[in-house]
């Protein structure tokens, strides 16, 4: 086999390895952010779609009191159930099923509370193609 063929095969293998890495291995984040002010005992529902196997991070930063979080999967399972957040909280999970997830944020009974909610879904490029 000639030197040209060997170099061509090596270059082709590197191109294929690079494409595989870019399409399947390098994560791309998709971020949703909400900032709101909640009155005492006010609820806010944040609804988002997720795909099975997607790594999703939920971050909540609040000021003024505390909030309680409940995350419900498409099957009705409570992924988070009554987690109290007094300043900040981050929860990372891998979606078990594809469908609509509901995050319920319940404010404390005594305070008006400002919160910032971030939902970051980590995808590979192939998910968008």
């Amino acid at each position: 086999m000639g030197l040209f063929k060997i170099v061509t095969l090596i270059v082709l293998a590197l191109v294929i390895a690079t494409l595989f890495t870019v399409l399947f291995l390098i994560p791309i984040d998709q971020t949703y952010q909400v900032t709101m002010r909640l009155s005492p005992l006010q609820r806010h529902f944040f609804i988002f779609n997720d795909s099975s196997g997607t790594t999703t991070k939920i971050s909540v930063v609040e000021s003024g009191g505390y909030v309680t979080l409940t995350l419900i999967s498409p099957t009705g399972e409570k992924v988070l159930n009554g987690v109290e957040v007094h300043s900040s909280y981050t929860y990372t999970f891998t979606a078990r099923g594809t469908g609509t997830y509901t995050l319920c944020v319940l404010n404390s009974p005594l305070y008006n509370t400002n919160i910032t909610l971030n939902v970051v879904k980590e995808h590979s490029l192939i998910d968008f193609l």
Side-chain angles (χ1 to χ4, degrees):
M1 195 186 275
L3 182 60
F4 177 74
K5 288 183 180 179
I6 293 173
V7 170
T8 303
L9 286 175
I10 291 172
V11 169
L12 183 60
L14 288 173
V15 167
I16 291 171
T18 302
L19 281 173
F20 180 82
T21 301
V22 168
L23 289 175
F24 294 100
L25 301 179
I26 297 175
I28 299 171
D29 292 346
Q30 189 175 17
T31 303
Y32 304 94
Q33 184 176 38
V34 177
T35 301
M36 67 191 98
R37 181 172 177 82
L38 298 175
S39 301
L41 293 176
Q42 184 178 1
R43 291 179 194 265
H44 177 77
F45 295 95
F46 185 80
I47 298 170
F48 61 97
N49 290 320
D50 216 342
S51 301
S52 182
T54 300
T55 301
T56 302
K57 180 172 61 172
I58 297 171
S59 300
V60 177
V61 177
E62 66 78 32
S63 62
Y66 68 91
V67 294
T68 304
L69 304 177
T70 302
L71 177 63
I72 302 170
S73 75
T75 61
E77 173 191 6
K78 291 186 177 179
V79 180
L80 286 175
N81 190 11
V83 174
E84 287 187 5
V85 177
H86 291 272
S87 61
S88 66
Y89 178 75
T90 299
Y91 178 70
T92 303
F93 70 100
T94 300
R96 292 188 196 162
T98 298
T100 302
Y101 286 76
T102 302
L103 178 64
C104 175
V105 180
L106 172 63
N107 193 22
S108 64
L110 300 175
Y111 304 100
N112 289 321
T113 303
N114 296 316
I115 69 166
T116 300
L117 169 67
N118 288 301
V119 175
V120 180
K121 297 190 296 184
E122 190 175 276
H123 297 277
S124 62
L125 184 59
I126 197 72
D127 293 335
F128 295 107
L129 299 178

